Amino acid sequence: MKDMEQKLRNEAKTLLEQGQVDYMVGFEPGSLKFTTTPLITRDKNDVERLVINPFMANNLANFLTELKGRIGIVAKGCDSRSIASLIQDNKVAREDVVILGIPCPGIIDLSKVEKLIGKDRDELEDIIREGDKVVITAGGKRSEFPVNEVLFDNCLGCELPTPQEYDILLGEPASPVIDRSASQASIEQLKGITPQQRWDFWKDEFSRCIRCYACRNVCPACFCQRCFVEETEPQWLMPVPRWQDNLMFQVIRNIHVAGRCTDCGECERVCPVNIPLRSLTKEMYDIVSELFHFKAGMDKDAAPLMTHYEQEEAEDCIR
Ligand code: SF4
Ligand code: SF4
Ligand code: SF4
């Protein structure tokens, strides 16, 4: 990863120096241990702050609709699909982005690490990825775990860890760490219970939602200038976070991102009350894939899912 990091810094410096981009968007070390934070800069001297490590969770494609000008952007496999999806939706022009692609070995989920070690992340001294293992040092003691025990669930089901759409690829293509049953475990568990139990489950979960909108704000597929939740005429949702309105918010959000969601996992990661949002978004991703043979961001030149129809559409009214 150090080689890739140096290559990224060199390429980013050249792009800024030569005026090929107005901004660079990448990752820098976060203020907390084992975290990164997005770095958005116009200053070539800042490129030394850019990092590549197993903690770069954000989907940076989210910033493309906010920034004006030509953008150099660091993209993992799922992020590059989000960029392609934004291009499909005419939210981003391909010529306005320089994609620095990272073949992604998967992102480490600190909450899984904490559970395995039985300590808070602040008490850990080091977390290092070594091939198919992760080595964690806590209290001077080293422990090794297979990588599929510590990656985010979405990374365990990752179909394309190496960006398909890029201008500069920073390393050799990565092989996905596939553990589909672990990736889908919580979703399958929900499918295995009765509709009434599932309803009770989501009622409980959405009773905890504080409607902070972090899940929406972090999502590159949620790009409406004015979100329906802020409409007052008509008012779709009560501003007070009642479970019914919270559930309705997620149902409508999931329909809006259908065919745009790339299973980057960001909405679930950022939820401050740990609502298992991926159980909704990934299920929608799979339904879209099964019904329409469509996966978001696979082809920047393809029409977006909801803007065209096929001869074999089931409904006569659409044909
Ligand atoms: S889903 Fe794939 S590309 Fe995205 S962070 Fe996980 S492993 Fe990397
Ligand atoms: S991030 Fe979590 S708490 Fe915040 S609005 Fe979304 S579901 Fe609710
Ligand atoms: S809905 Fe969630 S998983 Fe899908 S693209 Fe948005 S943030 Fe990523």
Side-chain angles (χ1 to χ4, degrees), residues 34-51:
F34 313 119
T35 62
T36 60
T37 193
L39 171 69
I40 302 173
T41 184
R42 309 180 78 134
D43 183 349
K44 68 177 180 349
N45 297 315
D46 284 345
V47 301
E48 292 308 314
R49 287 158 54 191
L50 288 168
V51 291

Side-chain angles (χ1 to χ4, degrees), residues 59 82 154 215 218-222 253-254 257 260-268 278 281-282:
N59 185 338
S82 293
N154 61 310
C215 51
V218 83
C219 174
C222 260
R253 196 182 96 75
N254 266 266
V257 300
R260 298 188 172 101
C261 170
T262 58
D263 193 26
C264 73
E266 276 296 273
C267 45
E268 178 167 302
R278 181 171 176 262
T281 57
K282 180 58 169 40

Side-chain angles (χ1 to χ4, degrees), residues 76-78 104 106-107 154-155 158 160-161 263:
K76 309 182 292 290
C78 52
C104 176
I107 304 302
N154 61 310
C155 295
C158 181
L160 290 168
D263 193 26

